[in-house]
Amino acid sequence: MDVACEHCGALHWLAEKTSGSSKAHPKFGMCCNHGKVVLPELPEPPQPLKRLLVAADTQAIEFRKHITQYNAALAFTSLGVNDDKAINRTGQSGWVFRILGNLYHLSGALTASTGTAPSYSQLYVYDPALALQQRMHRNNDLREDTMGSLQAMLLQSHPYAAKYQHAYEILTNEEEDIQHAEVHLRVMPGQDRRRYNLPTAEEVAVILPGQGEGGKEGRDIILRNRMPHGAPLYRISDLHPAYATLYYVLLFARGEHGWYPRSQVE
Ligand SMILES: [Zn+2]
């Protein structure tokens, strides 16, 4: 993959060129449709993430070695996947991620069930000091100073942290007798930003169904405070603009939205 698209710079195999173009001047359709689609740039990562991604000190090197583990510890959603571990058992060769069946992003209740340690989005509605303790308890091979600084960064830079806290406040407000209710996280149509795709407070709405905000949308992210015992985790639609940012928090640390059916490209 070393042939760059003349418009967007995406790297291709030569065999991916459109059939009408020559080997000397290959053209490509699958990346940007001949320059017709211009995706917004990703903004720079906030600090201290930016430093940890490039610095040469021992803390930064340790972070990059374990970056997927730090990401999973700080994600809002979990990865539902049946990965084939056997494939890496024998090898001298590079590590392979092979899955059986589909890959999902999953979400549970905002309060852990009795006797279960909180995880994922539950840790975003938890006291930060206790959340850090819990994250380190599950990942005691990682550095607490790194985990603590990334956790503080995400609480500030990732807008979905505040959205989850807001949803939790609504769901635990006893006066309104909505103990078993659900709220929906929905991105409102027509407010998509071209530059950076950064969600703003108005774009992501926390909706209580049945309060005049319109009916259910199949793609909403549904949040509940508690789930019935043994209930399965809820599968998030990959058509929700926050699908990627809620899992890949260290890749989209400002809550950048991804593609979704109503998004517009230039
Ligand atoms: Zn292109």
Side-chain angles (χ1 to χ4, degrees), residues 76-80 104-109 164 182-185 216-224 227 231-238 240 243 246:
F76 291 82
T77 54
S78 60
L79 206 56
Y104 319 111
H105 291 186
L106 299 168
S107 166
Y164 273 71
E182 59 187 40
V183 297
H184 292 202
L185 290 184
K216 255 188 193 183
E217 266 205 15
R219 295 189 290 266
D220 285 352
I221 290 176
I222 299 168
L223 301 177
R224 297 186 180 90
M227 299 277 260
L233 292 172
Y234 162 74
R235 187 175 156 185
I236 292 180
S237 166
D238 57 7
H240 194 286
Y243 176 80
L246 290 175

Side-chain angles (χ1 to χ4, degrees), residues 5-10 12 28 31-35:
C5 166
E6 62 179 328
H7 301 287
C8 71
H12 293 272
F28 301 97
C31 47
C32 63
N33 198 12
H34 307 284

Side-chain angles (χ1 to χ4, degrees), residues 175-187:
E175 283 173 26
E176 295 198 19
D177 192 25
I178 49 172
Q179 303 266 5
H180 303 288
E182 59 187 40
V183 297
H184 292 202
L185 290 184
R186 183 181 302 173
V187 174

Side-chain angles (χ1 to χ4, degrees), residues 136-212:
M136 290 312 298
H137 181 69
R138 283 171 181 259
N139 299 278
N140 57 18
D141 54 328
L142 300 183
R143 283 179 60 144
E144 187 165 347
D145 55 352
T146 304
M147 188 76 84
S149 63
L150 291 170
Q151 177 184 294
M153 174 197 79
L154 288 170
L155 285 173
Q156 224 206 339
S157 70
H158 201 298
Y160 278 86
K163 292 292 169 192
Y164 273 71
Q165 284 155 9
H166 182 202
Y168 180 71
E169 281 163 21
I170 293 173
L171 290 170
T172 51
N173 181 353
E174 288 175 49
E175 283 173 26
E176 295 198 19
D177 192 25
I178 49 172
Q179 303 266 5
H180 303 288
E182 59 187 40
V183 297
H184 292 202
L185 290 184
R186 183 181 302 173
V187 174
M188 305 310 273
Q191 295 172 15
D192 196 18
R193 294 220 157 172
R194 297 295 168 83
R195 192 155 183 260
Y196 293 158
N197 265 1
L198 291 179
T200 63
E202 310 82 63
E203 278 167 350
V204 186
V206 178
I207 293 172
L208 260 174
Q211 293 206 338

Side-chain angles (χ1 to χ4, degrees), residues 13-151:
W13 306 104
L14 186 58
E16 289 173 324
K17 73 179 182 62
T18 50
S19 54
S21 66
S22 69
K23 282 186 181 172
H25 299 285
K27 295 185 186 303
F28 301 97
M30 67 173 78
C31 47
C32 63
N33 198 12
H34 307 284
K36 285 187 200 136
V37 176
V38 181
L39 293 179
E41 285 176 42
L42 285 176
E44 287 212 327
Q47 295 290 11
L49 176 60
K50 188 179 168 192
R51 192 193 72 76
L52 290 168
L53 287 170
V54 296
D57 55 86
T58 50
Q59 185 187 17
I61 291 166
E62 189 273 349
F63 165 71
R64 294 197 293 274
K65 187 173 171 202
H66 300 287
I67 190 167
T68 53
Q69 203 181 333
Y70 279 108
N71 185 84
L74 292 159
F76 291 82
T77 54
S78 60
L79 206 56
V81 67
N82 186 5
D83 63 329
D84 179 6
K85 294 191 171 64
I87 195 168
N88 288 309
R89 228 170 253 161
T90 50
Q92 300 285 318
S93 57
W95 187 82
V96 178
F97 180 60
R98 183 164 76 181
I99 64 168
L100 306 167
N102 288 343
L103 183 146
Y104 319 111
H105 291 186
L106 299 168
S107 166
L110 290 178
T111 299
S113 50
T114 317
T116 314
S119 59
Y120 299 106
S121 59
Q122 293 160 355
L123 293 173
Y124 279 94
V125 299
Y126 221 51
D127 174 76
L130 295 175
L132 178 58
Q133 230 175 52
Q134 192 55 40
R135 288 186 166 112
M136 290 312 298
H137 181 69
R138 283 171 181 259
N139 299 278
N140 57 18
D141 54 328
L142 300 183
R143 283 179 60 144
E144 187 165 347
D145 55 352
T146 304
M147 188 76 84
S149 63
L150 291 170
Q151 177 184 294

